[in-house]
């Protein structure tokens, strides 16, 4: 196992590439090339990829190496459902008051992820926070397609953010969260097609 001071930044760098769609869906990840690009040895890269395989962000195929995971329609729906259940649990158990502010100076996928984490952290339940963070990582790249598939995405975000920031009644927050997830579940097939045909990005 790699030393933590080498492994953690390597793991985070590779995960960020997956979350932002640097590689094409299903593409083979060349560990040696990644190691060269990150300026580390092969060991922390392979350790990171095995961890990401366990997190279902990468697929390891014996004899074929590591490949970018494809988020299929059923898995996408299941993740949305679990994400919603956990958020509703966080809302139900959170004390009254204001949630932490979300930085506006970042891309939409990062803002919505931070907003959901702010909701989770209000519950003071570490397992809810960790689970929402993990599911959010797996859903992160799909959020890049929100503005292509759905309408009024920024307005939707602002309604949720305002409700959370102003400590709106639980019923209002629950309704907004339900609407957010239902809209995406309704278009699950469209998201799956977009994710499956993603060609990767040049860096």
């Amino acid at each position: 196992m790699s030393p933590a001071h080498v492994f953690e930044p390597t793991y985070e760098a590779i995960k960020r590439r997956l979350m932002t769609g640097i590689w094409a869906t299903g593409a083979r990840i060349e560990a040696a090339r990644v190691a060269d690009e990150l300026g580390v040895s092969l060991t922390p890269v392979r350790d990171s990829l095995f961890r990401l395989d366990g997190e279902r962000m990468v697929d390891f195929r014996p004899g074929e190496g590591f490949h970018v995971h494809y988020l299929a329609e059923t898995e996408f729906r299941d993740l949305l459902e679990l994400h919603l259940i956990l958020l509703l649990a966080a809302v139900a158990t959170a004390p009254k008051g204001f949630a932490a502010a979300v930085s506006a100076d970042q891309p939409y996928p990062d803002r919505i992820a931070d907003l959901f984490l702010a909701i989770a952290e209000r519950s003071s339940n570490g397992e809810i926070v960790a689970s929402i963070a993990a599911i959010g990582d797996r859903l992160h790249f799909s959020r890049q397609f929100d503005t292509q598939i759905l309408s009024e995405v920024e307005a939707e975000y602002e309604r949720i953010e305002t409700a959370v920031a102003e400590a709106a009644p639980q019923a209002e927050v629950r309704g907004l969260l339900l609407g957010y997830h239902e809209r995406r579940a309704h278009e699950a097939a469209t998201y799956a097609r977009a994710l499956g045909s993603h060609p990767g990005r040049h860096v």
Side-chain angles (χ1 to χ4, degrees), residues 10 60 99 110 126 151 161 187:
T10 302
F60 175 68
D110 295 310
S151 63
E161 181 186 39
E187 297 290 348

Side-chain angles (χ1 to χ4, degrees), residues 2-36:
S2 310
H5 73 279
V6 177
F7 171 77
E8 288 299 335
T10 302
Y11 163 79
E12 291 294 341
I14 295 172
K15 183 168 73 169
R16 189 66 188 174
R17 292 187 179 197
L18 293 164
M19 290 167 59
T20 54
I22 295 299
W23 294 302
T25 299
R28 187 172 187 272
I29 301 173
E30 301 289 346
R33 180 177 177 180
V34 174
D36 287 343

